[in-house]
Amino acid sequence: MTHQHPALTAEQKKELSDIALRIVAPGKGILAADESVGHMAKRLNQIGVENTEENRRLYRQVLFSADSRVKKCIGGVIFFHETMYQKADDGTPFVQMIKDKGIVVGIKVDKGVVPLAGTDGETTTQGLDGLSERCAQYKKDGADFAKWRCVLKISDNTPSALAIMENANVLARYASICQQNGIVPIVEPEILPDGDHDLKRCQYVTEKVLAAVYKALSDHHVYLEGTLLKPNMVTPGHSCPTKYSPEEIAMATVTALRRTVPPAVPGVTFLSGGQSEEEASINLNAINTCPLVRPWALTFSYGRALQASALSAWRGQRDNAAAATEEFVKRAEVNGLAALGKYEGSGDDSGAAGQSLYVANHAY
Amino acid sequence: MTHQFPALSPEQKKALSDIAQRIVAAGKGILAADESVGTMGNRLQRINVENTEENRRAFREILFSSDASINQSIGGVILFHETLYQKDSSGKPFPAIIKEKGIVVGIKLDKGAAPLPGTNGETTIEGLDGLAERCAQYKKDGVDFGKWRAVLKITSTTPSQLAIQENANTLARYASICQQHGLVPIVEPEVLPDGDHDLQRCQYVTEKVLAAVYKALNDHHVYLEGTLLKPNMVTAGHSCPKKYTPQDVAIATVTTLLRTVPAAVPGICFLSGGQSEEEASLNLNAMNQSPLPKPWKLTFSYGRALQASALAAWLGKSENKKAAQEAFCKRAQINSLACRGQYVVSGKTDTAATQSLFTVSYTY
């Protein structure tokens, strides 16, 4: 471990760093539109729409037809493979529509979870085979960043040391391969919100997971300035009886990141993980007004939390397309403000009520 | 790895965090006056003074009895065990004199290097046995922080994986024990400047070492907000033919730290490692002027680089006391300016300040 065998040239590093900075430029975040076919089935089912390739194309068209207002709040869009090669009604490839708005194109490259034998239902994520060739092709086809999602869960005896180490390692291998092909890797170690654990437990587990992720990235010689992190916010489990304010969530989240994410990482783009659209925006805003020093951009990479209203406005009807697009643009703008700590909430209860539950940082 | 068993209460955390913040308050750094008996022998020999307990006491008295305004530049002093129990000529204990000036008292806690068999002359550090009891006693005796120096060296085969991992682990054990007893641990993983390697090589090795240190600290549940880091600056080896500017050193050093040191760490206090007094100040100044982000304080923990001129002015003679104090205060003020990136070189150079203080394979 004494001699460096540089993984990247200075030019390659600069290219990766520039891409990353463009995605998380101030006030911008990511639209995660990379739902797999099966995942889209669930979404379309909820609004009574059949899961056909055409419907999936029409739905993504609703999102991608957003006007120039999205230029200042969307820095990147994550695609699913199928969508990369689809076109709008007028024949314009979706990739080009996005790039024409000055938005960076990304691609989901993992191939889903597989079980880790001998654990309590834990998983790792597959997709490394031939990843280099796939990345090279996606780069030619217009992608400049990628995403890979690992999943961990909190229960009485999970996440185990094996699950943490294996997922960290596979994320680091993926990141290393991406960078070799000029693609900025978004590293996503999601800790699921399932369970009745409290905020402190989630914070503790998140710190352990992120420490392992960054050690693995260092071991694999990954260039941190050319990566992004997509973590869960630190929240209580879904069935936790205790309620917490956005300020408490913000404090726990930022504290966990300050203890584990090197300042060289240009941006942290949170997943919304089942939070409602408004919740995800309010929490992101609280994160950006948290009084601790935050050396990275703190922004969004939202799927559901950007699309829920648009989906229900659309309902599969062409006539509803414009209204649906408008819903999306509204959420995008709200989250753009939240990424700057300037979102004042949709109504009543932010601000004062939240302040009273603020706890000094040393208690975290 | 799923349940937290809190190592520290919120009150303990606050106490540690407060101490750390006081030591690295704006414009302040550390006087490392913890030279062991043997090392003091080397220093005194250079000015032809006999290495007696009285002479060691006399020199430390000169430093500690400087005018109280020294507390604008010095936030902490590290003592050697013997010195903690010595007194000034009026019978006042040194810790009391130091604390009276509002400066925090620290103690060297390690017991020196021990070889790692099977390696190319590499070492680990002893001192963990009974460390808890020693910390408790020192805390009673007025100490609020500890220091432990691990040593790594760069050659074509070192530092090895074992040396990195073993030294990171002992540093983490030491840190954990300190915190249990209300002492802020200064974590010092020194990569020696011996050798002809270039700046890039030092940067690479330092990044690997620091990544391992912070993973170990996380594994050992160390509260980062209540620690300080004392690393080497990233420099070329002493016999490297290529010369680098303070700006080169600054960029390489800060980049390394951005990639490895979590923002939760309140301060980074560089060791001077054989640099001359002036070099050590110029490099620190360049770092604080550099446009790179710096979420932690960047300050000094200098031994030789704060004392060389004072020693040369003293020459063992009590009539030189005032001159020696002035020399020390001058260096302290200069380094205080360097902490703020405000040191402007006046143009004249004095011999002692620019004399290299490099000693081969420096050990205390």
Side-chain angles (χ1 to χ4, degrees):
Chain A
M1 184 150 321
T2 85
H3 287 273
Q4 185 172 22
H5 304 281
L8 300 164
T9 64
E11 292 75 26
Q12 285 175 303
K13 284 180 173 179
K14 183 172 194 323
E15 190 200 356
L16 290 166
S17 172
D18 285 349
I19 292 168
L21 288 170
R22 272 166 47 216
I23 297 169
V24 297
K28 297 191 188 184
I30 298 173
L31 163 62
D34 61 321
E35 297 84 356
S36 62
V37 173
H39 203 163
M40 270 317 283
K42 283 186 229 158
R43 299 277 173 92
L44 296 177
N45 209 314
Q46 281 176 341
I47 54 165
V49 173
E50 202 190 342
N51 187 25
T52 62
E53 193 188 331
E54 177 59 8
N55 280 341
R56 294 192 294 274
R57 187 192 71 79
L58 284 170
Y59 175 60
R60 267 63 180 260
Q61 181 172 250
V62 163
L63 301 175
F64 302 161
S65 320
D67 63 34
S68 62
R69 280 174 293 164
V70 291
K71 285 184 183 185
K72 52 179 193 343
C73 45
I74 300 290
V77 175
I78 317 179
F79 282 63
F80 178 63
H81 178 87
E82 171 189 77
T83 322
M84 282 282 288
Y85 304 102
Q86 287 179 324
K87 306 176 167 74
D89 291 343
D90 67 1
T92 314
F94 281 157
V95 167
Q96 194 185 319
M97 280 175 83
I98 294 299
K99 287 179 108 125
D100 285 347
K101 295 192 218 298
I103 299 173
V104 188
V105 170
I107 177 77
K108 182 226 294 288
V109 296
D110 70 79
K111 295 193 168 187
V113 299
V114 290
L116 279 173
T119 65
D120 184 9
E122 294 178 291
T123 61
T124 180
T125 295
Q126 55 181 13
L128 293 178
D129 296 353
L131 180 59
S132 189
E133 291 73 22
R134 295 174 58 219
C135 282
Q137 187 61 52
Y138 285 133
K139 181 77 175 178
K140 286 206 194 91
D141 296 342
D144 284 312
F145 74 95
K147 188 212 87 173
W148 175 294
R149 176 174 177 258
C150 277
V151 182
L152 295 138
K153 64 174 181 173
I154 297 178
S155 72
D156 220 50
N157 39 40
T158 63
S160 64
L162 171 64
I164 293 176
M165 178 265 285
E166 164 61 21
N167 281 285
N169 191 61
V170 93
L171 277 166
R173 279 293 295 131
Y174 141 79
S176 164
I177 292 169
C178 278
Q179 293 195 328
Q180 290 298 298
N181 291 287
I183 296 214
V184 166
I186 296 190
V187 171
E188 181 178 354
E190 175 171 7
I191 297 163
L192 295 174
D194 305 34
D196 61 2
H197 53 273
D198 64 9
L199 188 68
K200 275 191 162 18
R201 184 98 182 280
C202 179
Q203 183 182 335
Y204 175 74
V205 172
T206 302
E207 288 179 16
K208 293 300 177 193
V209 167
L210 291 178
V213 166
Y214 282 96
K215 181 58 163 64
L217 291 175
S218 169
D219 290 345
H220 286 259
H221 315 301
V222 174
Y223 175 60
L224 292 186
E225 292 89 330
T227 66
L228 293 169
L229 177 69
K230 179 167 170 166
N232 49 286
M233 292 184 192
V234 173
T235 63
H238 272 183
S239 15
C240 178
T242 313
K243 295 302 156 208
Y244 299 87
S245 66
E247 286 73 22
E248 289 175 296
I249 283 170
M251 187 58 87
T253 302
V254 176
T255 298
L257 299 173
R258 277 168 50 82
R259 289 174 179 172
T260 54
V261 183
V265 175
V268 176
T269 61
F270 294 99
L271 59 95
S272 47
Q275 296 179 38
S276 69
E277 285 176 327
E278 189 63 8
E279 212 179 334
S281 302
I282 296 279
N283 285 337
L284 180 62
N285 192 63
I287 283 170
N288 278 288
T289 53
C290 169
L292 298 174
V293 169
R294 296 164 260 118
W296 348 253
L298 291 168
T299 182
F300 58 92
S301 174
Y302 290 168
R304 275 169 288 185
L306 269 173
Q307 300 176 49
S309 295
L311 258 170
S312 44
W314 180 54
R315 308 208 77 81
Q317 310 293 325
R318 273 189 182 275
D319 293 343
N320 296 341
T325 305
E326 192 60 26
E327 290 296 323
F328 163 61
V329 173
K330 265 173 28 191
R331 274 341 289 176
E333 288 185 314
V334 160
N335 285 305
L337 288 173
L340 294 168
K342 293 184 174 161
Y343 177 51
E344 297 183 2
S346 64
D348 18 45
D349 71 301
S350 43
Q355 292 296 344
S356 63
L357 299 173
Y358 176 94
V359 182
N361 73 310
H362 66 83
Y364 289 83
Chain B
M1 187 155 322
T2 85
H3 288 273
Q4 182 172 24
F5 301 97
L8 300 163
S9 67
E11 292 72 29
Q12 285 175 300
K13 286 179 171 179
K14 183 174 198 316
L16 290 166
S17 172
D18 286 350
I19 291 167
Q21 297 284 349
R22 273 167 47 215
I23 296 169
V24 297
K28 298 190 192 188
I30 298 172
L31 163 62
D34 61 323
E35 298 84 356
S36 62
V37 173
T39 304
M40 258 333 263
N42 296 341
R43 302 278 172 87
L44 296 175
Q45 200 200 30
R46 281 175 87 143
I47 54 167
N48 288 314
V49 171
E50 202 188 341
N51 187 20
T52 61
E53 194 187 333
E54 174 53 25
N55 282 340
R56 295 191 294 276
R57 190 204 65 76
F59 182 64
R60 267 69 181 259
E61 175 170 351
I62 289 176
L63 299 175
F64 306 156
S65 60
S66 296
D67 182 75
S69 61
I70 195 78
N71 63 15
Q72 306 289 306
S73 335
I74 302 292
V77 176
I78 318 178
L79 300 179
F80 178 63
H81 178 85
E82 170 191 77
T83 320
L84 183 65
Y85 302 103
Q86 285 178 327
K87 307 173 165 78
D88 74 1
S89 7
S90 71
K92 191 157 184 190
F94 281 157
I97 296 173
I98 294 168
K99 285 179 105 135
E100 230 168 45
K101 299 193 203 323
I103 298 172
V104 188
V105 174
I107 185 81
K108 182 223 293 289
L109 287 171
D110 69 81
K111 295 193 166 184
L116 281 172
T119 66
N120 184 10
E122 294 178 291
T123 59
T124 180
I125 304 289
E126 303 186 308
L128 292 178
D129 296 352
L131 182 58
E133 290 76 15
R134 294 173 60 218
C135 285
Q137 186 61 51
Y138 284 134
K139 181 76 177 179
K140 284 203 192 100
D141 295 341
V143 175
D144 285 312
F145 72 94
K147 190 212 88 176
W148 174 291
R149 174 177 177 255
V151 181
L152 296 138
K153 61 175 181 174
I154 298 178
T155 67
S156 63
T157 55
T158 62
S160 66
Q161 184 61 32
L162 173 64
I164 292 176
Q165 166 227 312
E166 164 62 18
N167 280 285
N169 191 62
T170 38
L171 275 165
R173 281 290 299 130
Y174 139 79
S176 164
I177 292 168
C178 273
Q179 292 194 329
Q180 290 299 299
H181 297 278
L183 297 183
V184 166
I186 296 190
V187 171
E188 180 178 355
E190 175 171 7
V191 176
L192 292 174
D194 303 39
D196 61 2
H197 53 272
D198 65 11
L199 188 69
Q200 280 70 32
R201 182 95 182 282
C202 179
Q203 182 179 337
Y204 175 74
V205 171
T206 305
E207 285 179 19
K208 293 301 179 192
V209 168
L210 291 178
V213 167
Y214 282 95
K215 182 57 164 61
L217 290 175
N218 182 280
D219 289 343
H220 286 259
H221 315 301
V222 174
Y223 174 59
L224 293 186
E225 292 87 334
T227 65
L228 294 169
L229 178 69
K230 178 166 171 168
N232 50 287
M233 295 184 192
V234 173
T235 62
H238 268 259
S239 15
C240 179
K242 189 165 176 206
K243 294 301 156 207
Y244 297 90
T245 64
Q247 287 67 36
D248 294 330
V249 169
I251 302 270
T253 304
V254 179
T255 299
T256 298
L257 300 170
L258 287 170
R259 290 176 179 171
T260 53
V261 184
V265 175
I268 298 178
C269 326
F270 296 97
L271 58 94
S272 46
Q275 296 177 36
S276 69
E277 287 176 327
E278 191 64 4
E279 210 179 335
S281 301
L282 289 174
N283 286 336
L284 179 62
N285 192 56
M287 283 182 223
N288 280 291
Q289 286 185 336
S290 115
L292 295 174
K294 300 168 221 76
W296 352 251
K297 295 279 176 42
L298 290 177
T299 180
F300 56 94
S301 174
Y302 291 166
R304 282 169 284 178
L306 268 172
Q307 301 176 57
S309 294
L311 266 167
W314 180 50
L315 294 177
K317 305 192 164 86
S318 53
E319 59 267 29
N320 293 339
K321 173 175 170 168
K322 191 156 179 291
Q325 277 182 341
E326 274 169 13
F328 166 59
C329 290
K330 196 172 120 185
R331 279 334 296 177
Q333 275 160 18
I334 287 172
N335 286 307
S336 173
L337 289 170
C339 283
R340 287 179 271 220
Q342 289 170 6
Y343 176 43
V344 178
V345 184
S346 60
K348 61 174 172 65
T349 48
D350 71 271
T351 328
T354 52
Q355 191 173 45
S356 168
L357 300 164
F358 174 62
T359 310
V360 171
S361 253
Y362 186 71
T363 54
Y364 280 96

